[in-house]
Amino acid sequence: MALAAPGGGAAAPCTLPMLPVLLLFLPGLAAGSAGMLQPRDTPSRERRELGGLWSFRADLSPGRDAGFAQRWYRRPLRQSGPVIDMPVPASFNDITQDPSLENYIGWVWYEKEVLLPVRWLQGEPAPRVVLRFGSAHYYSIVWVNGVQVVEHEGGHLPFEADISSVVQGSPGSLCRITVALNNTLTPHTLPPGSIQYMADKSRYPKNYFVQNIKFDFFNYAGIHRPVVLYTTPAAYIDDITVTTTSSDTLATVQYQVSVAGSKANSLSLSLRDQEGKVVATGDGPVGELKVLNPNLWWPYLMHENPGYLYSLEVRMQAQLDGALLEDVYTLPVGIRTVHVTSSQFLINGRPFYFHGVNKHEDADIRGKGLDWPLIVKDFNLLRWLGANSFRTSHYPYAEEIMDLCDAYGIAVIDESPGVGIKLPESFGNRSLQHHLAVMEELVRRDKNRPSVVMWSVANEPASELPPAAHYFKTVIAHTKALDPSRPVTFVTDANYALDHGAPYVDVICVNSYFSWYHDPGHLEVIPLQLTAQFENWYKTYQKPIIQSEYGADSVPGLHSDPPMMFSEEYQQAMLREYHSVLDKKRKEYVVGELIWNFADFMTNQGTTRVLGNKKGIFTRRRQPKAAAFVLRDRYWRIANESSCLPPAITSHSLFL
């Protein structure tokens, strides 16, 4: 089937409406940017999820621009032409039997009509009504009752709009939400991509093009995370920032609270433990709380009570238009510290070793759509495995997933969507400014999470290119300015002597696939090559190292003895060869190992992929391969080396 340009004709390879404000350099959270507190039900706030079936239509016009030319947002979408039901949250690619939708590039349209409670529309002053998207991939334009309320670039972070004036000024309580969504990737998006036109008319239809990407997972698109309507008072708590320091007997919780809508008459804070007891109180927008004999936040298997969370209740009162308004917001708080030396990664002053996984938000049918049964299953598998950590490869994960990491004590390397940065033009100023803005969005969302112990700004960029030096120096410095409390890294697969970004990171994260992509089939080269890798990196930079990816594809049920590539035995053998070297180096300066991958996942079709990437230790349906048991035995053995846990905790027989 012939495809047309996603936003215009052949003269414009890819046109997305970019607002200049999206590309401005934003100097920091304290410089007046709006807050992005996770919506919660409180005594002063209401929250309503808009999941379920939405009306959906892909714009199949030659220029993918009929929706804008005909102003589909001005009236119900069904009046523009045929619509289908589309679940939200979900990717749209695998929902139907239409192959053109599976690989569709361009604009699609979503619509949902909801009735708002009358109490949301009345009062003096009336409450503030906010529409929030957990994420939508990639570029979004949103209208409410035909009025544009927000645009957002980026597929993995939340965005929202105050729609009070739109819904409160409309007759009745109907709220019609229309979303135009474009999944086109360009050299300046994050992740980057490119549109390639096939000009040979003897081989391709007129205006035929393909979306090229430099990352190895499927470019699922759609409204991937919950859409929420929520209310606050007209004067409200806009943002909260918390950092913690601690010793065995005393902890300090430093806080900063910003308000909006009116000046606060009073602002009080109460910190409660898990039994509901108030352990510290404070007043005013800036201050610190002292906690005696604190329960620290510890990672899973590092303490008998991991993931301990306090509750910080912030209560504000303000006068507005003659009315006394009160807003209440409760923030989970974990007390913990993170510190990096030349050879150790310390949590609460104790050495921490990452024995974990890389993951993907990926599943049959729903693609990258949020799926609670899958999320809970994955966390049960992580704990069964004895994994204490994961990296959000290669984009920020849903807030709901991060909530469970906080609660279960799973340490997270929180990674931006900076994957596939390979083209020279992707290191230019336009891309850089967008990357800086994305890091601000990520830090603003996750800055208060105890589970987030390190930021990762990119995965496997072409960091050997000379422009990478300025690019990563700037992105890493910006991230540190936003959050001085956490180390910053990016994940490299470049040669240690050629990497221009490595001088600026706090921890070296290196990916290698010896005997797979290099010397395929030759397991015997791993000890020499992996040892040289670690020694070269450490000698050059004197920084702790994480083996951030390693692994091999295995087809479930395919067996071979002696081990051969793609068999379950080969995957097991490769892991054991890596582990033999890791056991030596983790006594020196290697501070972690993250298997690639937790579970099989979908990729673009290609001659090296049979229905996706098969490097998972679990299948895509979350059934264990033989390698899962190798890794489980290893991770529990590493956990059992800790002397701080009672025998009942260190015995993984409890998790059989």
Side-chain angles (χ1 to χ4, degrees):
M1 171 177 154
L3 296 177
C14 178
T15 55
L16 291 174
M18 298 293 186
L19 291 181
V21 69
L22 293 175
L23 302 178
L24 289 176
F25 179 84
L26 300 174
L29 291 170
S33 59
M36 190 68 78
L37 293 174
Q38 189 173 352
R40 302 182 188 279
D41 286 305
T42 77
S44 60
R45 299 177 176 222
E46 289 187 69
R47 176 181 182 275
R48 181 178 177 185
E49 285 201 20
L50 304 183
L53 295 181
W54 288 49
S55 296
F56 176 89
R57 185 179 181 188
D59 188 341
L60 298 173
S61 62
R64 299 288 201 262
D65 56 357
F68 293 98
Q70 300 170 17
R71 299 181 179 181
W72 290 355
Y73 53 86
R74 296 293 297 272
R75 61 190 190 279
L77 190 60
R78 61 185 176 274
Q79 295 181 12
S80 70
V83 297
I84 63 173
D85 289 334
M86 185 60 65
V88 171
S91 302
F92 62 71
N93 308 81
D94 295 343
I95 298 297
T96 75
Q97 300 305 107
D98 184 352
S100 67
L101 193 60
E102 181 178 14
N103 295 291
Y104 178 88
I105 302 295
W107 291 102
V108 299
W109 293 72
Y110 286 81
E111 181 190 83
K112 182 80 167 178
E113 293 181 339
V114 297
L115 291 174
L116 301 183
V118 174
R119 64 183 177 276
W120 287 19
L121 309 176
Q122 298 177 345
E124 292 293 338
R128 176 172 166 264
V129 182
V130 182
L131 173 63
R132 177 188 174 104
F133 291 77
S135 75
H137 189 72
Y138 172 80
Y139 192 95
S140 305
I141 306 175
V142 183
W143 296 263
V144 172
N145 294 342
V147 178
Q148 184 175 326
V149 295
V150 68
E151 294 193 30
H152 183 260
E153 180 183 2
H156 306 91
L157 289 164
F159 58 97
E160 63 182 29
D162 183 338
I163 63 171
S164 308
S165 61
V166 178
V167 297
Q168 291 164 0
S170 300
S173 57
L174 181 66
C175 178
R176 178 167 49 84
I177 302 165
T178 308
V179 183
L181 187 61
N182 195 320
N183 62 342
T184 309
L185 301 179
T186 78
H188 307 295
T189 57
L190 210 64
S194 62
I195 296 294
Q196 180 181 2
Y197 286 86
M198 304 304 187
D200 187 345
K201 295 181 180 179
S202 67
R203 300 179 63 194
Y204 302 100
K206 183 180 180 181
N207 291 332
Y208 191 88
F209 73 93
V210 294
Q211 169 80 79
N212 290 325
I213 54 176
K214 299 292 186 180
F215 52 85
D216 188 31
F217 55 93
F218 193 81
N219 186 36
Y220 279 114
I223 300 177
H224 283 152
R225 296 173 190 162
V227 183
V228 176
L229 282 168
Y230 72 93
T231 65
T232 74
Y236 58 96
I237 299 163
D238 180 56
D239 198 21
I240 305 169
T241 302
V242 169
T243 57
T244 63
T245 58
S246 67
S247 65
D248 291 338
T249 59
L250 180 66
T252 300
V253 179
Q254 297 174 316
Y255 65 86
Q256 181 174 345
V257 180
S258 63
V259 299
S262 180
K263 184 178 180 181
N265 291 356
S266 67
L267 191 64
S268 61
L269 299 92
S270 301
L271 188 69
R272 300 177 184 271
D273 64 18
Q274 289 187 349
E275 285 69 48
K277 178 184 176 182
V278 175
V279 297
T281 60
D283 293 288
V286 179
E288 58 185 32
L289 309 176
K290 300 291 187 181
V291 183
L292 295 174
N293 302 314
N295 291 297
L296 301 183
W297 186 94
W298 290 100
Y300 176 54
L301 298 179
M302 202 173 179
H303 190 270
E304 60 183 342
N305 188 14
Y308 191 95
L309 295 174
Y310 291 85
S311 296
L312 180 64
E313 182 187 86
V314 182
R315 187 176 296 267
M316 181 209 74
Q317 288 188 337
Q319 203 81 25
L320 182 64
D321 297 336
L324 181 64
L325 301 179
E326 182 174 68
D327 191 21
V328 180
Y329 189 87
T330 301
L331 178 74
V333 171
I335 298 174
R336 64 105 184 91
T337 60
V338 175
H339 183 64
V340 173
T341 73
S342 62
S343 60
Q344 291 182 314
F345 195 101
L346 305 173
I347 294 181
N348 298 330
R350 284 179 40 202
F352 176 72
Y353 187 79
F354 294 81
H355 45 91
V357 303
N358 294 278
K359 292 180 89 276
H360 266 298
E361 290 181 314
D362 173 276
D364 286 335
I365 301 174
R366 79 271 302 155
K368 291 193 179 302
L370 183 87
D371 184 79
W372 273 115
L374 187 74
I375 291 171
V376 175
K377 177 67 173 179
D378 282 0
F379 274 94
N380 282 326
L381 289 175
L382 286 170
R383 293 188 291 182
W384 173 87
L385 195 63
N388 63 7
S389 54
F390 65 75
R391 174 168 65 114
T392 69
S393 46
H394 300 296
Y395 38 80
Y397 289 178
E399 290 165 290
E400 292 80 0
I401 294 175
M402 304 299 285
D403 287 342
L404 291 184
C405 291
D406 289 339
Y408 293 167
I410 302 298
V412 176
I413 301 174
D414 205 354
E415 190 161 274
S416 85
V419 58
I421 306 176
K422 301 292 189 181
L423 300 173
E425 54 263 48
S426 296
F427 289 94
N429 190 60
R430 180 177 172 185
S431 296
L432 175 59
Q433 298 308 313
H434 178 50
H435 203 148
L436 296 175
V438 168
M439 292 312 302
E440 175 155 344
E441 290 185 29
L442 176 57
V443 173
R444 180 174 60 188
R445 193 195 75 165
D446 291 343
K447 61 185 175 180
N448 296 320
R449 295 190 176 279
S451 61
V452 176
V453 297
M454 184 159 57
W455 305 110
S456 171
V457 302
N459 176 76
E460 294 187 356
S463 50
E464 70 280 0
L465 297 178
H470 171 72
Y471 189 95
F472 285 109
K473 180 181 180 180
T474 304
V475 173
I476 291 170
H478 184 63
T479 306
K480 286 178 173 291
L482 293 169
D483 176 24
S485 71
R486 292 177 176 87
V488 180
T489 189
F490 75 90
V491 176
T492 183
D493 64 347
N495 183 284
Y496 75 96
L498 303 176
D499 195 309
H500 292 290
Y504 307 107
V505 302
D506 298 303
V507 177
I508 301 292
C509 288
V510 59
N511 296 347
S512 61
Y513 290 89
F514 303 125
S515 85
W516 190 258
Y517 295 123
H518 309 283
D519 300 298
H522 293 280
L523 294 165
E524 65 275 9
V525 307
I526 293 175
L528 178 63
Q529 294 183 5
L530 186 59
T531 299
Q533 169 198 279
F534 288 139
E535 292 178 351
N536 288 332
W537 278 103
Y538 193 73
K539 181 180 179 180
T540 304
Y541 292 104
Q542 297 292 301
K543 296 175 181 179
I545 300 172
I546 295 175
Q547 182 68 46
S548 42
E549 288 184 25
Y550 70 104
D553 285 78
S554 67
V555 178
L558 182 63
H559 298 288
S560 173
D561 185 28
M564 298 187 70
M565 294 179 70
F566 293 98
S567 69
E568 292 197 49
E569 287 77 13
Y570 192 90
Q571 189 181 36
Q572 287 180 298
M574 174 183 277
L575 265 58
R576 291 190 175 106
E577 293 291 346
Y578 263 80
H579 296 165
S580 67
V581 178
L582 285 163
D583 276 338
K584 298 174 184 176
K585 295 304 179 182
R586 67 187 178 92
K587 298 174 183 177
E588 302 176 36
Y589 47 75
V590 171
V591 297
E593 56 191 77
L594 305 175
I595 189 69
W596 189 268
N597 191 280
F598 174 74
D600 295 346
F601 57 92
M602 187 53 62
T603 64
N604 279 351
Q605 297 184 65
T607 54
T608 61
R609 296 285 178 252
V610 182
L611 291 179
N613 190 307
K614 296 295 191 291
K615 290 188 180 66
I617 58 170
F618 297 98
T619 68
R620 204 177 185 211
R621 298 188 64 188
R622 274 43 180 186
Q623 295 303 310
K625 302 178 189 177
F629 297 95
V630 172
L631 208 63
R632 182 174 187 252
D633 288 344
R634 173 173 179 76
Y635 284 177
W636 280 100
R637 176 171 58 82
I638 293 173
N640 286 341
E641 293 176 0
S642 172
S643 60
C644 67
L645 298 180
I649 299 295
T650 58
S651 171
H652 73 268
S653 63
L654 293 177
F655 294 83
L656 288 171

